[in-house]
Amino acid sequence: MKYTILTLFPDLVRPWTQESIIQKAIQRGLIEVEVRDIRAYAENKHHTVDDTPYGGGAGMVMRVDVTVQAIEAAGSADEVILLSPAGQPFTQKLAEELAGKTHLVLVCGRYEGIDARVEHFVTREVSIGDYVLMGGELGALVILEATARLIPGVIKEAQSHQQDSFSTGLLDYAHYTRPPEFRGLAVPEVLTSGHHAKIAEWRRKQALKRTQERRPDLLEKAELTPKDLVWLEEDS
């Protein structure tokens, strides 16, 4: 998978690719991350990337000509994604869809926004939440992390991401590790029993319980078994 991230501030993005799992995935050739400076495509007299908005108003708007030059220079891509508060919500389902692509171009806006005509040169707009940031860089990194970890080989244990929150339609179950007791808080006994069937049942119940308590809206879309419904009824 190749990622091309278009930004006015490449030094905000590059450090993220130089640590942890993303760095290892790059070193192993599982993914490629190219960070391009949109400013490099400003061919106007003063090399400006933004201008005042037509019709007046506060802030500056990123120019369509400069942004589109950067998009086209990125080459052929499966998806050109504009990070935007007006975009479709980014979900685990969308992450799984995008992880199957071979080249994603991620366009990061700044200032008051990007000239609306850029929308004609992207395949979709994506939002990571109902709030406003200073730019699209964090959104691009969220997409990078969420999709890269789904690519075979990036995470050693394939089951790790298959059991994550949202992958099954539910929140993840609670996790525990050493020490077995901390300030009066003990690890649930079933997890140290070695009884795999009982552990699996406990984890499923925990996922259902946590989802019911914290994100009941997810239950409406989750694929629940008759046994799941019985457990939910017992907890309600």
Side-chain angles (χ1 to χ4, degrees):
M1 164 79 93
K2 178 179 180 181
Y3 300 85
T4 301
I5 301 177
L6 305 179
T7 171
L8 292 175
F9 299 97
D11 288 341
L12 288 178
V13 176
R14 289 195 180 104
W16 202 265
T17 68
Q18 297 166 357
E19 297 286 346
S20 191
I21 293 174
I22 294 294
Q23 181 193 43
K24 292 177 182 178
I26 293 171
Q27 292 172 341
R28 293 165 60 197
L30 298 174
I31 65 172
E32 177 185 355
V33 182
E34 180 181 34
V35 183
R36 294 193 174 197
D37 189 344
I38 295 175
R39 296 179 192 277
Y41 302 94
E43 297 178 349
N44 53 77
K45 183 179 179 180
H46 299 290
H47 300 284
T48 55
V49 296
D50 59 354
D51 214 324
T52 55
Y54 281 120
M60 302 291 281
V61 177
M62 286 178 60
R63 295 172 57 120
V64 60
D65 54 347
V66 178
T67 307
V68 170
Q69 286 254 44
I71 291 172
E72 292 178 342
S76 177
D78 299 282
E79 294 266 5
V80 179
I81 299 172
L82 174 62
L83 281 301
S84 166
Q88 72 179 101
F90 186 62
T91 62
Q92 184 65 24
K93 183 177 180 180
L94 180 54
E96 292 168 358
E97 176 188 340
L98 295 177
K101 309 295 185 181
T102 58
H103 184 195
L104 300 181
V105 175
L106 306 173
V107 185
C108 306
R110 274 273 158 177
Y111 311 127
E112 190 64 23
I114 296 182
D115 188 303
R117 291 169 288 183
V118 170
E119 296 170 13
H120 295 280
F121 299 87
V122 303
T123 56
R124 71 172 90 203
E125 297 177 62
V126 172
S127 168
I128 62 167
D130 295 336
Y131 46 85
V132 179
L133 301 173
M134 295 180 183
E137 287 79 13
L138 287 176
L141 292 172
V142 166
I143 292 176
L144 168 62
E145 281 248 341
T147 57
R149 67 191 304 276
L150 299 176
I151 295 171
V154 171
I155 292 181
K156 291 182 180 180
E157 297 185 27
Q159 280 190 326
S160 179
H161 65 72
Q162 293 170 358
Q163 296 174 347
D164 286 335
S165 292
F166 308 113
S167 293
T168 61
L170 303 173
L171 296 182
D172 199 5
Y173 53 79
H175 296 266
Y176 296 88
T177 188
R178 294 178 179 83
E181 188 275 336
F182 179 73
R183 297 184 182 178
L185 301 171
V187 172
E189 188 174 339
V190 65
L191 297 180
T192 59
S193 68
H195 196 301
H196 298 297
K198 288 184 177 180
I199 290 172
E201 180 178 305
W202 180 89
R203 286 175 168 171
R204 182 66 178 181
K205 286 182 177 179
Q206 278 288 303
L208 290 163
K209 182 178 180 180
R210 286 160 71 89
T211 304
Q212 187 175 47
E213 292 174 347
R214 304 178 187 194
R215 289 291 305 277
D217 57 296
L218 295 177
L219 292 175
E220 298 175 7
K221 299 179 181 179
E223 295 182 6
L224 303 177
T225 67
K227 186 177 289 187
D228 290 336
L229 296 174
V230 170
W231 288 336
L232 286 170
E233 184 66 25
E234 290 175 352
D235 283 333
S236 62

